[in-house]
């Protein structure tokens, strides 16, 4: 598993979104990118997180912040999820696990004593120059935007 750290160059990618458009990290040079990985479309935590970004989207856009959601669900699942919840940002269909592996968020999970492999919910805040500014591993799904903005509004470390 790839372990990324803050200050490191973010791995580039080219992945289809819910509409089949190819999306690359390079497309957003000069902008802050919130790349958030979530386990599955239409599950309670993932819906809360996506809707929080949706509800705060205008404020994010006004700050030149791009939001990209990523899971291993296929394009059609993303299409239905985005339509159902009126999500205004791309959902990337990482069906071949290219992104989850590159960003080190694919790993063993445990639910009700059952172990399985899946996405560990993680948010990467990527600076306009392509470096990882922040990594949020304990995502508050109902307040994901506030978590991101709190980090972005911190004074720069010396």
């Amino acid at each position: 598993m790839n372990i990324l750290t803050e200050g490191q160059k973010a791995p580039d990618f080219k992945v289809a979104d819910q509409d089949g458009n190819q999306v690359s990290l390079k497309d957003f040079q000069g902008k802050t990118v919130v790349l958030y990985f979530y386990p599955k479309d239409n599950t309670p935590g993932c819906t809360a997180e996506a809707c929080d970004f949706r509800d705060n989207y205008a404020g994010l856009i006004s700050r030149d912040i791009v939001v990209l959601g990523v899971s291993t669900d296929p394009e059609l699942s993303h299409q239905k999820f985005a339509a159902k919840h009126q999500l205004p940002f791309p959902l990337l269909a990482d069906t071949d696990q290219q992104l989850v592996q590159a960003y080190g968020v694919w790993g063993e999970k445990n639910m009700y004593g059952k172990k399985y492999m899946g996405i560990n919910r993680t948010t990467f805040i990527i600076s306009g120059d392509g470096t990882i500014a922040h990594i949020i591993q304990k995502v508050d799904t109902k307040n994901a935007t506030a978590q991101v903005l709190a980090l972005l509004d911190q004074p720069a470390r010396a």
Side-chain angles (χ1 to χ4, degrees), residues 50-101:
C51 290
D52 182 69
F53 282 125
R54 176 202 64 203
D55 294 346
N56 294 287
Y57 194 64
L60 292 167
I61 290 295
S62 73
R63 293 178 61 160
D64 229 10
I65 298 171
V66 173
V67 176
L68 301 172
V70 183
S71 85
T72 55
D73 291 317
E75 290 171 32
L76 186 59
S77 175
H78 281 346
Q79 264 180 2
K80 291 176 181 174
F81 185 49
K84 180 177 180 180
H85 299 288
Q86 298 163 340
L87 303 179
F89 49 83
L91 297 176
L92 307 183
D94 188 26
T95 53
D96 64 0
Q97 299 178 4
Q98 167 196 337
L99 254 75
V100 296
Q101 297 288 350

Side-chain angles (χ1 to χ4, degrees), residues 11 28 33 55 65 72 76 83 112 134 136 158:
F28 306 106
V33 174
D55 294 346
I65 298 171
T72 55
L76 186 59
Y112 307 116
H134 302 282
I136 305 170

